[in-house]
Structure formats: C-alpha cells, structure tokens
Amino acid sequence: MTSNSNIAPAILITMPHSHYSEKARWALDRLGFPYREEPHVPLLHRLATTRSGGGSVPVLVQGSSRFIDSTEIVVHADAAGGGDLLYPRDATLRREVEALEKRFDDELGPHTRRWAYAQLLANPGLLRPVMSRGVPWLEARLLPVIMPGVLSLIRSSLRITPESAHRSLERVRGIFRETGDRLSDGRRYLVGERFTAADLTFAALAAPVLFPAGGRAAYPTLESVPATMREEALRLRDTDAGRFALRLFSQERNASSAAQEQGSKAC
Ligand SMILES: N[C@@H](CCC(=O)N[C@@H](CS)C(=O)NCC(=O)O)C(=O)O
C-alpha cells in the first residue's frame, strides 16, 4: 500500500444521517485517507454540493478534483491507497464486488431509506437532533424553521406513502434473504476471503433498518423510535444478513486496512 501522507486533505460533504455518506466515510476511515468532514442539514446541503458540481451527498472535494457519488469516492480512496484494498485485484472477484455494490446502491439504499423515513416523518422531534448533529451553528438554528419544508420535500421526492413504504420493506426483506442465502455456505465475507466494498456497502446501506452500534451516521436510538419500527428492526437484526451487518459494524467499522496488512505480514 502506498502512503497517503502526501495526499492533500480532502473535504467530505455529508448529511449527518445519510447512509451513503456513512458508506464513503467508512471507506475513507478504513483506508486512512486524510479528510475533513463538512456535515450539512438537508436542503442547505445543496448549497455546498452544487458549488462542487454535485447534488446529493456525499461529495468529496480534493484539490481541483470532485467525486460526486459514494462509489466514486470508495473507488478513488482504494486507488489512492495503492489498490486491492476494497476491490480485489483479481478481475473476476472485482466484477462480483462491483455488481453487488451496484445492487445495494440501486436497491437496498433507496428502500431502507424510504421505509425508515416513512416511520419517522411524523416525529420531527426525533429527526431534528439527528439531522443537525455537527452541522454549522447557523444551519442548526435554521433547521426548526425549515423543518416542515424539509419533511414535505422528503415525502414528495421519495414518493412516501403507506403502500410504497410497505413495498420498500418487502424489497429490503428480499435483499436480506438473498444476502443470507449467499452467506449460507459459511463464508465470512460476501466475495472472496476478505472484507470488500460489497460488505461495506451492504452494512452501511442496511444501517437505517438495523440501528447498529459502531456506525458513525446519526440515528435516533432504537429505544426512542415508534414501536412498529423497533419491532421490525429487531426482526431484521435476527436474520443471517442482519447478524452479518452487525458483525461488520462491530469488527470492521473501526479496523484499518494498513494495520491489518502489517499484522498479516508480521505473522
Ligand atoms: N448514488 C448516490 C446516492 C446518494 C444519495 O441518495 N444521497 C442522499 C442522502 S442519503 C441525498 O443527498 N439526498 C438529497 C439530495 O439528493 O439532494 C451515491 O451513492 O452517492
């Protein structure tokens, strides 16, 4: 692995509760990529992201380069660290990792988000502290004022209705079943013998329905959310895929690739 010490510190634009931001943050943390996080409240995040040529969070700004999607950020961090860290060098394995990452990005992330918001939109008192954790002082002060607009924008842009939320929960359960089937041969990781971007993406994007300890995205506590949400989260935790994601948060969220490589060389 090449040293990251000569890479200019980058800025990661996020929202505190965004699971795609957690995906990027997890990769940067794991690879020892130097960055400073700049969290924003919803809506006002657009002032920062559009200035950088993006729209959604996360966006990584490094010198004159912009990475405007979580996968672009993970790929960039892996390459900057010398490669073969979160994406295997072996072409067949890499394709498998990329296909799973895309499936989780396109399916799991949107459906965990829609279902979670559907449970929480009626509780602005739970969402406000979560959405304002670590943001600039002025944005935290403005959030209560813009909160009704934020909530109605989330509801309309994600097309949240009781029916769509139910369909999203079914899709989440389906992806959990598929992931559990993949793990049923006793493998420890989704692809190959090592932790990859596929594992990281599954765990980060499943987080809104699992409330894992160890993650760095801001969520309400499981105890504080409505009972129906808590009960479903407990059911999903108690599946093979749920246990797998929780294990990744407890064993891999704070692990560093560099330390692991040195450890394995020392053996
Ligand atoms: N494909 C994007 C999806 C990111 C995404 O959906 N971000 C959400 C937050 S979790 C967002 O920024 N939504 C508000 C917006 O689009 O302005 C990625 O992987 O980075």
Side-chain angles (χ1 to χ4, degrees):
M1 179 178 171
T2 24
S3 161
N4 275 326
S5 56
N6 54 0
I7 297 174
I11 297 171
L12 182 68
I13 302 169
T14 64
M15 290 194 283
H17 60 296
S18 151
H19 53 345
Y20 289 94
S21 298
E22 170 65 359
K23 174 187 162 190
R25 192 194 292 119
W26 187 337
L28 299 179
D29 289 345
R30 184 174 179 97
L31 303 184
F33 191 99
Y35 74 100
R36 173 171 68 75
E37 185 168 346
E38 191 188 294
H40 292 280
V41 300
L43 215 55
L44 302 183
H45 72 283
R46 284 267 168 175
L47 296 174
T49 55
T50 51
R51 209 172 35 232
S52 301
S56 57
V57 292
V59 169
L60 185 75
V61 180
Q62 187 183 23
S64 57
S65 305
R66 307 281 182 267
F67 303 89
I68 59 169
D69 175 272
S70 63
T71 297
E72 275 185 24
I73 296 171
V74 180
V75 168
H76 171 63
D78 185 77
D84 200 24
L85 296 163
L86 290 169
Y87 298 94
R89 224 181 277 290
D90 177 274
T92 310
L93 291 180
R94 182 170 183 136
R95 270 197 299 277
E96 220 181 311
V97 168
E98 286 170 345
L100 280 176
E101 180 179 18
K102 180 161 172 37
R103 172 141 172 74
F104 298 145
D105 278 345
D106 292 351
E107 291 268 323
L108 182 65
H111 289 296
T112 55
R113 171 173 58 200
R114 184 195 269 153
W115 182 76
Y117 270 134
Q119 312 310 304
L120 295 172
L121 283 180
N123 287 279
L126 277 182
L127 285 175
R128 216 179 297 118
V130 159
M131 289 176 164
S132 58
R133 194 185 73 184
V135 304
W137 174 84
L138 185 59
E139 290 188 23
R141 293 298 295 267
L142 281 173
L143 185 60
V145 181
I146 64 171
M147 194 70 178
V150 166
L151 298 183
S152 98
L153 191 67
I154 290 173
R155 193 181 291 283
S156 62
S157 64
L158 300 182
R159 295 193 291 275
I160 297 177
T161 63
E163 295 73 30
S164 70
H166 182 72
R167 283 197 302 276
S168 283
L169 178 58
E170 286 302 325
R171 300 285 283 274
V172 171
R173 288 175 175 153
I175 296 171
F176 269 51
R177 269 195 302 275
E178 261 174 45
T179 306
D181 288 348
R182 197 178 176 89
L183 296 166
S184 63
D185 59 5
R187 65 180 72 195
R188 287 187 53 76
Y189 298 105
L190 292 174
V191 180
E193 308 286 317
R194 282 196 289 138
F195 180 81
T196 67
D199 304 300
L200 185 157
T201 304
F202 178 74
L205 300 187
V209 300
L210 293 174
F211 299 84
R216 308 231 174 112
Y219 295 126
T221 62
L222 187 56
E223 294 68 37
S224 65
V225 301
T228 46
M229 183 179 206
R230 183 166 56 248
E231 282 154 19
E232 187 56 45
L234 292 174
R235 271 195 291 277
L236 288 166
R237 278 182 173 192
D238 194 24
T239 60
D240 291 336
R243 279 187 285 275
F244 171 66
L246 295 177
R247 175 174 73 75
L248 295 179
F249 270 103
S250 82
Q251 295 180 357
E252 306 286 350
R253 177 62 183 90
N254 295 309
S256 124
S257 286
Q260 281 185 350
E261 286 213 326
Q262 276 160 17
S264 61
K265 277 180 197 140
C267 289

